[in-house]
Amino acid sequence: MTRLLALLALVLTLGALVAAPGALASDARPTLGELEGEVMCPTCKTTLDMSRSPVADSIRRFITGRIDAGDSKSEIKTRLVEEFGQAVLAEPSKRGFNLLAWVLPLVGIVLAAIVLGGLAYKWSRSRGTRGGGPGGAAGDGLDADTERKLDEELARFED
Amino acid sequence: MSNVETTPPTEAPGNSVPKRVAQVIALLAVGALLGLLIWKVATRDAGGAAAKLAASKGAPVAAPQFTLPRINGIPGVADGTTVSLASLKGKVVVLNFWASWCIPCKQESPRLQEAYIKYKDKGVVVLGVDAQDFTGDARSFAKKYGLTYLIVHDGSGKTLSPYGVTGFPETFFVDRQGNLVGQRIEGEISAKQLDEGITQALAT
């Protein structure tokens, strides 16, 4: 179990090291195309890249202006949230109450894994107990009476 | 010895209690989710105040309350201070939902300004709610079209659903008691509709 946890931590750390430089570069030098997929059009409730509404065009102009002014992606998003509220972001922020939206699915996956693991363990143990129980032949799942009858039938064929 | 083998296995007393507790918790969780769904469907305010007004047949319909930041000044009052609809009780309010990117809003805004000038001494307030818009764009719009009536900003559009606003512009009339009167005007409002709405609101 300890080895498994260590392996998991190693994989997560390596993943973070691989992903971090790209994410940092993207935050410092955002493109309109990137942000169009991460910002919602307030009137049509789709991301900007799927909308040609007047307010979407207005937000696109704003983003282009802020990119030209040298703002980072997070700065642009902060300004958009100040204007339109949290709903302007296609993904909830990773702070405060919104963090629940990110954490709960992971908690759900972990809980499901624990429950499935527990059930699998219980099932494998009960199979083992049945196979080795009184009157049963270990491993083949047949009780002594059935095995005897089977032997008799096979013997008849051999005759 | 044989008794021990033939007696059916019984559940250990320590195991049954946690299992029962887990079942109760699971049932409660499902029940709570079901209750939440029923409550959400039952309390859904489809159409908002506009639908209530259309179905009211003259009965008073309370205007949904809100408090929003002001984005254009009245002399002596700082920009950015908040305005609540409740604070305008005792006055007739022409409530206009708009945005700077809305084309018909450009056509109707001079009419709202004219109505404001015409009726302001009779206790009438024109209140523009700039929704789903950039504050800077709304300020530029107000300056360009010379709008001096009260304008507040609702960037997230939280007031739209309670009023049942489905597009811009839309105009409501609120009487001195804070009730919606007359008809909701969808789209560009005419000078005649403004006069009729204000006259009706002043008469109630």
Side-chain angles (χ1 to χ4, degrees), chain A residues 1 3 11 31 47 50 54 70 87-88 127 137 147 156:
Chain A
M1 189 67 177
R3 276 186 190 170
V11 168
T31 62
T47 48
M50 297 174 76
V88 80
R127 257 180 73 105
E147 195 171 9
R156 197 180 301 163

Side-chain angles (χ1 to χ4, degrees), chain A residues 136-159:
Chain A
D140 60 6
L142 297 176
D143 58 38
D145 190 41
T146 310
E147 195 171 9
R148 184 180 51 77
K149 282 180 183 170
L150 190 63
D151 285 343
E152 283 172 10
E153 291 296 323
L154 286 171
R156 197 180 301 163
F157 277 112
E158 281 168 8
D159 292 341

Side-chain angles (χ1 to χ4, degrees), chain A residues 47-64:
Chain A
T47 48
L48 282 190
D49 51 10
M50 297 174 76
S51 172
R52 287 280 162 262
S53 74
V55 68
D57 289 338
S58 177
I59 294 175
R60 264 191 284 271
R61 279 194 299 277
F62 173 82
I63 292 173
T64 307

Side-chain angles (χ1 to χ4, degrees), chain B residues 117-200:
Chain B
I117 300 295
K118 185 175 172 184
Y119 291 102
K120 67 177 180 180
D121 294 334
K122 293 178 181 167
V124 176
V125 173
V126 176
L127 176 58
V129 179
D130 168 58
Q132 297 177 329
D133 197 6
F134 284 103
T135 316
D137 290 351
R139 284 201 181 102
S140 303
F141 183 101
K143 195 175 174 186
K144 182 177 176 183
Y145 293 94
L147 309 180
T148 56
Y149 56 83
L150 196 56
I151 296 174
V152 291
H153 181 65
D154 177 17
S156 64
K158 65 182 178 187
T159 55
L160 303 179
S161 176
Y163 276 88
V165 174
T166 52
F168 298 134
E170 277 196 26
T171 307
F172 293 82
F173 298 95
V174 184
D175 69 11
R176 291 190 179 98
Q177 289 74 46
N179 293 319
L180 297 171
V181 290
Q183 284 187 324
R184 175 256 295 252
I185 310 294
E186 291 175 87
E188 199 179 316
I189 195 166
S190 68
K192 185 170 175 276
Q193 285 170 318
L194 271 167
D195 283 336
E196 283 173 358
I198 291 170
T199 305
Q200 191 176 351

Side-chain angles (χ1 to χ4, degrees), chain A residues 21-36:
Chain A
L24 287 173
S26 164
D27 190 66
R29 289 183 297 279
T31 62
L32 175 63
E34 269 172 24
L35 278 157
E36 276 186 315

Side-chain angles (χ1 to χ4, degrees), chain A residues 37-149:
Chain A
E38 297 172 21
V39 172
M40 299 294 287
C41 160
T43 54
C44 24
K45 311 298 180 199
T46 62
T47 48
L48 282 190
D49 51 10
M50 297 174 76
S51 172
R52 287 280 162 262
S53 74
V55 68
D57 289 338
S58 177
I59 294 175
R60 264 191 284 271
R61 279 194 299 277
F62 173 82
I63 292 173
T64 307
R66 294 325 308 167
I67 290 173
D68 292 346
D71 282 6
S72 68
K73 188 192 277 188
S74 47
E75 283 169 340
I76 294 171
K77 284 185 174 180
T78 302
R79 293 184 71 140
L80 285 171
V81 168
E82 281 168 9
E83 290 284 355
F84 296 97
Q86 281 288 338
V88 80
L89 301 179
E91 289 178 347
S93 68
K94 296 183 179 76
R95 286 194 301 269
F97 183 76
N98 287 336
L99 188 63
L100 276 179
W102 293 93
V103 171
L104 282 181
L106 291 176
V107 171
I109 289 168
V110 170
L111 282 178
I114 290 169
V115 169
L116 284 175
L119 286 173
Y121 177 73
K122 203 172 167 183
W123 178 71
S124 65
R125 269 180 66 94
S126 67
R127 257 180 73 105
T129 309
R130 265 205 309 273
D140 60 6
L142 297 176
D143 58 38
D145 190 41
T146 310
E147 195 171 9
R148 184 180 51 77
K149 282 180 183 170

